[in-house]
Amino acid sequence: MKQVFNIACYETMMIFKERILFLLLFTVPLLYATVFGFVYLQGVINHVPLAVVDLDHSKLSREVRSSFANSPHFELISNIENSAQMEQAMREGKIRAAIVIPEKFEFAMQKHQPTELLGVYDASNLIWGYNTRRYIREVTTDFNTQQTAAYLAGLGISENQVKNIMNTVHLNYEVWYNPTFSYATYFYTGLLLMVIHQISLLSISLTVTREKERNTWVQYLSSCLPSWKIFVGKALPYFIVNFFNYALLLWVAAHFVNAKIGGSIGLVLLFGLLFDVIITSLGFYISVLAPNSLQVTRYLMLISVPIFMASGLTWPQTHIPFAVNALASLMPFTWMAEAFRLITVKNLPLAYLLNHLLVLLAMAGVSLGLAMNFKKSRRPPSSSGLVVNSGTNYPGL
């Protein structure tokens, strides 16, 4: 194993020697986690800027206004008195929603005639739109319930009778797994997995192409070392660093962004190790096949967004076309992202994750087989295009 150790030492020195590679491995993942963490720090959308356009100017309309003003979900924006001002404020982004109280609103309520409030909200951003609609319904339902109870009490019905009438059908909510509807739990951890995926794949994919561009890859090909020793020596430093980043970013998510990282720590580590093995092996094999670093970088950047969008992380897989789902199922990120969510958010044990485990084990076996048995034949670097990490100096062994 001395040869493997020597190759690993060489690759480690190369990581510390090349500033860009060092920053890519040790700084960029944490930087991304920090930036994304600030974005999703609150986790829940509150204080939605809302205007109340009161066309009735009655005591009851002021109660409606107070109901929305007292809700923690809304931040009431004043000085918007008509529909034109409301439309302008919505266009400028000063408000995200509005409640329009019609004329003769109090009169209709007193006469028990049909009347309605108009809720307007900006759905150009679906996260704003979904949450705003839900909050408007909650406040309106509470207000309507209070008015109905006051009316029944005014008819001389006792308090207990009012409660019995109002509570004929009572609904209790139990929100499982993500009760606060936190987007930090829903989205942030998936972004971190994608950061690990891309940084790991890119860093290991530049190892062999760098050697090709410096004409030093031939010393490995002409040596008596078997392919698997070359692979292990070159990949081992990246495997260790990538797993370190995996653990570090999850710690940041749990302790600073308050994303839910529950479930079995053993399962989290097991799936993380499998994911790391697959990405490291595939990255090395890609580097063996690729003619230069530029092509590796181009192709990995091109596939990153489709992999993320088709994985089912941001949109249910049941609502993704079959052909897209079939392609996504060939990607390790799809299985890792779903398994990670099932472990950390739903706290599921291994019995519910056997399919994911078996698929990732199969992918790890295939990727390791490809990487450890690559053909030791020289593929000269492409003569056209730019290259990455193409300096001529490299540390000696």
Side-chain angles (χ1 to χ4, degrees), residues 34-83:
T34 303
V35 173
F36 294 153
F38 279 117
V39 172
Y40 294 100
L41 188 60
Q42 289 190 350
V44 179
I45 299 286
N46 273 327
H47 307 293
V48 178
L50 172 133
V52 176
V53 179
D54 187 355
L55 303 180
D56 191 44
H57 301 289
S58 62
K59 178 181 178 183
L60 195 60
S61 67
R62 289 192 290 272
E63 290 182 11
V64 173
R65 183 186 184 92
S66 297
S67 296
F68 283 94
N70 293 331
S71 171
H73 300 312
F74 294 105
E75 177 184 353
L76 201 60
I77 305 300
S78 57
N79 299 324
I80 298 178
E81 304 294 338
N82 53 56
S83 298

Side-chain angles (χ1 to χ4, degrees), residues 239-250:
F239 176 83
I240 295 172
V241 172
N242 293 334
F243 190 75
F244 168 78
N245 284 330
Y246 174 76
L248 175 63
L249 298 195
L250 294 187

Side-chain angles (χ1 to χ4, degrees), residues 123-139:
S124 60
N125 183 308
L126 292 182
I127 295 177
W128 277 108
Y130 167 77
N131 285 280
T132 301
R133 179 177 63 181
R134 181 163 59 91
Y135 296 156
I136 289 175
R137 284 180 174 177
E138 289 178 4
V139 175

Side-chain angles (χ1 to χ4, degrees), residues 355-383:
N355 287 341
H356 300 78
L357 181 62
L358 292 175
V359 170
L360 289 176
L361 281 171
M363 289 182 175
V366 171
S367 58
L368 277 173
L370 292 173
M372 297 177 70
N373 296 284
F374 70 91
K375 292 183 179 180
K376 294 178 63 178
S377 58
R378 186 177 184 185
R379 294 172 180 263
S382 176
S383 59

